[in-house]
Amino acid sequence: MADENVPVLVIGGGLTGLSASVFLTHFGVRSLLVERHPDTSGHPKARAINPRTMEIFRAVGMEDAIRAEESPIAGNDVLVHVETLAGPERVRMPSAAPDDLSRITPARWAMIDQNQLEPLLRKQAVATGAEVRFSTQLVSLEEDLDGVLATVHDRSTGVTSTIHANYVIAADGSRSPVRRMLRVPDRGRGTITNLVSFFFHADLTPALAGRKVIAAYVNNAVVRGTLIPIDNEKRWVFNVSFYPEQGEGPEDFTERRCLELLRSAIGIDDLYAEIEDGRMLPWEISMRIAEQFRAGRVFIAGDAAHVIPPTGAFGASTGIQDVYNLSWKLSLVLARAAGPGLLDTYGTERRPVALETARQAGLRFAVREGKRLEDVSDELVDETTMTFGYRYRSGAFSPQFAEPAGPLLEDPDHPSAQPGARAPHVLVQAKDGPEMSVVDLFGRGFVLFTTGAADSLAASAAQTAGRLGVDLVAYRVGPDGDLSDPRGEWAARYKAGDDGVVLVRPDGFVGWRAAGAVPGAADLERALRQLLDLGAA
């Protein structure tokens, strides 16, 4: 018998694991997180959270807290490739954070360092009821008939104990011990480059020449690396490549050598700089995707499932979106409002997105390695499309047609609103209320929109969903409905017709759309049953 029992055990206390704890609690699921390190990360690491992920944090009530802790570089917008920072630019990448995305989303990019965001997530998780234990290392996992038995070791007390969980989320990083325990292989390019990171203080104003850089990618005969501002004044971090195959290691980066490399990267021979405390933090840039995102009752997420090069700022957001996708599904299966097949759709939906995201990051990294931007531009997808335009081609939705769902990516300025696609942002207005985005209606249960003659379904929709044990809120869209369409954008974006219905999942993706013949309660129940893996009535 286990020492403890919990519905979901989360392994790993980084951005993905802590987000999972927040989201599970948001959807009413009790969880326990264990992390072997004594505290959250002390390194900036990931520095940008994309607007789709900020929609998620907005839904769970964290947007204001994140905005309050944004990095000093929040206003920076330049990604540049150079031989030296003081020299001419080789390539300036398209801005990763356009000034105005209000046509697509009510959210915007958040520039927040990982060592700022992780404590916020930890605080939110604990405050809302999740249990979080640092200095606690997983020793083993063993699946049984009704769950997973985990043995953990408390590194602060020396006590070893067991935890029985219905399900486990493995968010334990790029070298995931859990994935290895489960013998889940990964595939991909593997290690692209090894790096050390060091912090330094210097006035780089002359070399910057007025540019507000997010990152400067340096590539010359002496050094290859990335210069990243920390405080937008004098504190920086320099990530420098090294080559183990040539006998190099982190120990070779003495303070003197770091200063020489730094001067070669900046392009100022007599640059005055102070290397901060001499710590050299080794890490690697890799590209690997797990061959499966589920092994029995264990789900693999974040860097444990997909290691993505940092170019494009895709990695952290992709992991956070993984566990948002998974959390609402776990909540319904644990409540017995959905069949176990709903959980299979986690990998079906998220793995193709991870593959394409890694490919896009790899194309950007190729430019950093020396390729011309023109050589990859035909395959390159802009950040806005990759952020908002990906679709699930199969998964937890009721298809509108029998034909394949189409390409993985679509133009977010011309959304399809098909089942499996993100539900588009439209400004609507409740009676006597301000304009608001429909995106702000998502994030708890299901949302049903009806128009015209289909409005009759709105009255019975909650009752239909209630019989199945799921929450659903219905809104009639139109001049006399619950929501008006003051800008006349609804029909073009949702394509539901004059008498249509659109069902949106808790994560803001379209689950069902009916146009043509006016649908009734039986059609809604059939769609929900298919989506939730409940079988025929």
Side-chain angles (χ1 to χ4, degrees):
M1 181 175 290
D3 298 306
E4 298 178 80
N5 292 276
V6 66
V8 180
L9 174 65
V10 180
I11 301 168
L15 289 179
T16 299
L18 289 166
S19 294
S21 292
V22 170
F23 301 154
L24 287 165
T25 303
H26 176 76
F27 287 113
V29 177
R30 187 169 59 89
S31 67
L32 166 63
L33 180 149
V34 296
E35 161 59 51
R36 66 186 181 90
H37 288 106
D39 207 345
T40 52
S41 174
H43 194 281
K45 295 184 181 177
R47 307 201 72 193
I49 301 299
N50 71 37
R52 168 58 193 151
T53 306
M54 285 306 295
E55 288 181 351
I56 293 170
F57 285 135
R58 185 181 177 104
V60 301
M62 289 195 65
E63 183 182 40
D64 289 346
I66 291 172
R67 296 285 178 217
E69 295 293 330
E70 280 195 277
S71 165
I73 72 163
N76 296 19
D77 61 358
V78 175
L79 289 167
V80 64
H81 295 259
V82 296
E83 288 190 12
T84 69
L85 186 64
E89 295 181 7
R90 186 170 67 83
V91 176
R92 181 175 288 206
M93 297 296 287
S95 175
D99 290 336
D100 185 14
L101 289 174
S102 61
R103 69 194 188 280
I104 296 172
T105 177
R108 58 180 173 84
W109 282 86
M111 300 299 293
I112 181 167
D113 298 343
Q114 185 165 338
N115 58 337
Q116 295 171 298
L117 182 52
E118 284 185 1
L120 290 179
L121 290 166
R122 182 178 181 178
K123 180 180 179 181
Q124 178 78 1
V126 172
T128 54
E131 189 169 358
V132 175
R133 296 180 194 167
F134 277 67
S135 295
T136 305
Q137 184 166 1
L138 178 76
V139 177
S140 66
L141 283 179
E142 183 180 345
E143 188 166 336
D144 56 30
L145 291 176
D146 59 352
V148 181
L149 185 67
T151 301
V152 298
H153 177 73
D154 188 323
R155 302 176 76 178
S156 60
T157 65
V159 174
T160 298
S161 61
T162 56
I163 302 165
H164 191 270
N166 296 80
Y167 296 100
V168 171
I169 298 175
D172 54 339
S174 60
R175 299 185 179 277
S176 175
V178 175
R179 194 185 66 241
R180 294 179 182 181
M181 288 178 192
L182 299 171
R183 298 181 180 176
V184 173
D186 55 12
R187 296 285 184 267
R189 183 175 171 183
T191 300
I192 299 173
T193 186
N194 292 276
L195 304 103
V196 293
S197 294
F198 63 87
F199 294 90
F200 68 94
H201 295 256
D203 182 2
L204 303 187
T205 303
L208 287 168
R211 293 169 295 181
K212 294 287 189 180
V213 300
I214 297 173
Y217 303 110
V218 176
N219 190 352
N220 61 47
V222 176
V223 64
R224 176 181 291 181
T226 309
L227 289 160
I228 301 172
I230 299 297
D231 62 4
N232 249 3
E233 293 184 5
K234 293 186 177 182
R235 189 171 187 242
W236 294 73
V237 65
F238 192 25
N239 302 325
V240 185
S241 294
F242 69 92
Y243 305 93
E245 66 276 11
Q246 298 176 17
E248 290 185 320
E251 65 279 1
D252 297 320
F253 288 82
T254 62
E255 188 168 321
R256 179 177 178 179
R257 186 185 180 199
C258 287
L259 186 57
E260 291 172 352
L261 293 172
L262 189 56
R263 287 170 173 164
S264 296
I266 304 301
I268 299 176
D269 292 340
D270 60 350
L271 175 77
Y272 176 77
E274 296 178 0
I275 308 299
E276 187 176 297
D277 73 26
R279 288 183 302 164
M280 304 300 143
L281 305 172
W283 57 291
E284 66 177 31
I285 292 176
S286 304
M287 191 189 317
R288 298 189 302 273
I289 309 293
E291 290 202 341
Q292 61 198 64
F293 283 15
R294 179 182 186 180
R297 289 176 172 265
V298 181
F299 300 90
I300 306 169
D303 286 354
H306 42 73
V307 183
I308 297 172
T311 41
F314 295 123
S317 286
T318 303
I320 293 165
Q321 291 175 41
D322 285 346
V323 289
Y324 195 60
N325 178 289
L326 180 58
S327 293
W328 71 269
K329 295 173 180 178
L330 282 168
S331 73
L332 292 177
V333 171
L334 286 164
R336 299 187 179 180
L342 178 63
L343 298 177
D344 290 331
T345 67
Y346 163 65
T348 302
E349 293 181 350
R350 294 303 301 169
R351 190 170 184 274
V353 174
L355 285 166
E356 180 59 21
T357 303
R359 191 176 80 88
Q360 289 296 321
L363 291 170
R364 287 160 172 79
F365 194 83
V367 176
R368 171 176 165 174
E369 291 183 305
K371 266 196 176 183
R372 298 183 308 160
L373 182 60
E374 309 91 80
D375 294 337
V376 301
S377 59
D378 287 348
E379 297 179 77
L380 204 63
V381 171
D382 64 85
E383 276 85 356
T384 301
T385 297
M386 197 63 240
T387 298
F388 292 104
Y390 70 79
R391 304 179 350 180
Y392 301 138
R393 301 183 75 243
S394 63
F397 51 88
S398 181
Q400 184 178 12
F401 306 109
E403 292 84 3
L408 178 71
L409 298 175
E410 66 180 30
D411 179 359
D413 278 313
H414 300 91
S416 69
Q418 285 188 358
R422 171 180 170 268
H425 157 71
V426 175
L427 288 172
V428 294
Q429 191 169 13
K431 290 183 177 68
D432 301 321
E435 283 189 342
M436 63 177 294
S437 172
V438 293
V439 169
D440 288 331
L441 300 175
F442 311 145
R444 284 288 184 184
F446 289 87
V447 174
L448 187 78
F449 298 114
T450 65
T451 59
D455 282 351
S456 60
L457 177 59
S460 62
Q463 185 178 1
T464 300
R467 285 200 305 272
L468 301 178
V470 297
D471 293 329
L472 183 149
V473 178
Y475 297 95
R476 296 169 297 132
V477 181
D480 300 318
D482 306 298
L483 301 172
S484 63
D485 178 20
R487 305 194 182 198
E489 297 177 339
W490 177 268
R493 287 184 172 266
Y494 274 82
K495 301 174 178 63
D498 294 333
D499 304 309
V501 172
V502 179
L503 177 70
V504 180
R505 308 185 325 186
D507 61 353
F509 279 73
V510 177
W512 175 56
R513 185 176 67 182
V518 178
D523 300 299
L524 173 61
E525 181 167 350
R526 189 159 43 246
L528 280 167
R529 283 186 170 276
Q530 182 176 2
L531 190 159
L532 297 169
D533 186 45
L534 290 174

